[in-house]
Amino acid sequence: LGKALGRGLAPHLRALLPPLLWASHDPAPEVCAAAADAFAQMLPNPAKRADALLFARKEIFVKSVANILQAAPAQLKPHKPLKGGGDKAEVAAEAEEAVERTLTSSLDALSSAVADIAAAHAAGTKGATAAAAAAELATYLEADAAPLLNDSALWTLAERARTTRVRRAARSLLSALAIRAPGIFEVEVSESLPEVSENLPAGPAAIGRAARLRALLPKALQTEADARALAPLWDLMLASMGRPRLWLSSGVDPSPGLKKGAQADLSALVRAVC
């Protein structure tokens, strides 16, 4: 259909791209291959594909976030294998696999979309200063990712999702956001950092994200045994260490307790790494 209709699909891109992206990151290789081929047929020019992701940014985030928040409780509840096998056990196993596939594909689709959207945005803002372009991108990503970043589900999945695939995917998304829009994790927003948009949150939401990020890293680095889920933690750590205000709070912090907590989290991270 993509090859036959060409530009005729343009009015439907916003509806088509989210499920196509999920399929592109499905754990089944044959599903990924079919989705990649469909995407290439619809938009043969790689630059046009990137522009399409930027065009459908809101739909991609809204629908992917809905998938994640809906599926997360099933992945986080204690696992209770059914005794004796049979049809009930098979149905339960299929349901668990469906949850894992939904979470993994949606989280990985967002990680990929963040990278592609950042690249497309950079190409479209060549005349702007680096700081201005970064601030605009951070504002976009803040608006899109806020419902997920402000919900405990993403952070809990990154810390202790039952399956390695989901832990890795949740951490990869946090890493992608930290690399391309690190300001959205920071405690407060100050004019002393011009690359951070004044539209980014300075209140409880931002403080919650910073505290969750600081708590996640040392705990997950100490407890993770699978290298596949460990790799994105290192990327996340390196990105966050490039933003000292996440760890060493300044004198304008709203409370001394926040400063003390941030320094304790940094000490815990150093112990975990060493």
Side-chain angles (χ1 to χ4, degrees):
L1 281 173
K3 188 174 182 180
L5 296 177
R7 292 185 179 181
L9 281 178
H12 309 287
L13 274 179
R14 284 181 166 144
L16 289 171
L17 282 181
L20 194 56
L21 277 180
W22 304 331
S24 298
H25 294 86
D26 192 275
E30 63 274 16
V31 176
C32 288
D37 183 59
F39 203 6
Q41 294 288 353
M42 287 171 56
L43 297 163
N45 185 333
K48 294 295 183 182
R49 290 200 289 272
D51 289 342
L53 292 175
L54 194 58
F55 172 71
R57 189 189 80 241
K58 290 185 182 296
E59 287 75 14
I60 291 168
F61 269 88
V62 167
K63 293 179 180 180
S64 298
V65 168
N67 277 353
I68 294 163
L69 296 183
Q70 185 176 4
Q75 172 73 196
L76 294 171
K77 69 182 181 182
H79 180 56
K80 296 181 179 179
L82 294 176
K83 297 179 180 179
D87 292 342
K88 287 186 177 179
E90 185 177 345
V91 169
E94 289 176 354
E96 286 192 11
E97 182 184 0
V99 167
E100 181 184 16
R101 290 179 76 168
T102 296
L103 286 169
T104 303
S105 60
S106 298
L107 288 162
D108 282 341
L110 283 184
S111 298
S112 176
V114 166
D116 291 338
I117 287 168
H121 182 268
T125 55
K126 288 182 178 178
T129 65
E136 185 179 54
L137 175 64
T139 303
Y140 287 157
L141 293 178
E142 156 61 24
D144 295 331
L148 191 57
L149 289 171
N150 293 343
D151 195 292
S152 62
L154 174 64
W155 301 93
T156 310
L157 289 171
E159 179 191 339
R160 57 177 178 85
R162 193 162 59 244
T163 62
T164 300
R165 279 179 176 171
V166 176
R167 291 196 306 279
R168 189 239 359 118
R171 294 165 183 179
S172 293
L173 175 56
L174 288 171
S175 175
L177 288 168
I179 290 168
R180 289 163 180 87
I184 65 178
F185 293 99
E186 290 187 341
V187 173
E188 84 283 348
V189 178
S190 168
E191 291 181 1
S192 64
L193 290 178
E195 73 274 16
V196 179
S197 169
E198 64 180 3
N199 295 322
L200 298 187
I207 293 172
R209 295 176 203 170
R212 283 169 171 164
L213 180 62
R214 294 195 307 261
L216 168 67
L217 283 168
K219 187 180 296 184
L221 283 167
Q222 285 180 315
T223 58
E224 184 57 63
D226 195 306
R228 292 169 297 176
L230 194 57
L233 283 174
W234 290 108
D235 292 336
L236 182 58
M237 184 193 74
L238 292 173
S240 67
M241 293 305 289
R243 310 292 292 200
R245 280 174 38 205
L246 278 171
W247 301 92
L248 302 174
S249 303
S250 68
V252 297
D253 282 341
S255 71
L258 179 61
K259 180 178 180 180
K260 184 177 179 181
Q263 292 171 344
D265 291 332
L266 179 59
S267 298
L269 177 63
V270 171
R271 289 195 299 272
V273 173
C274 295

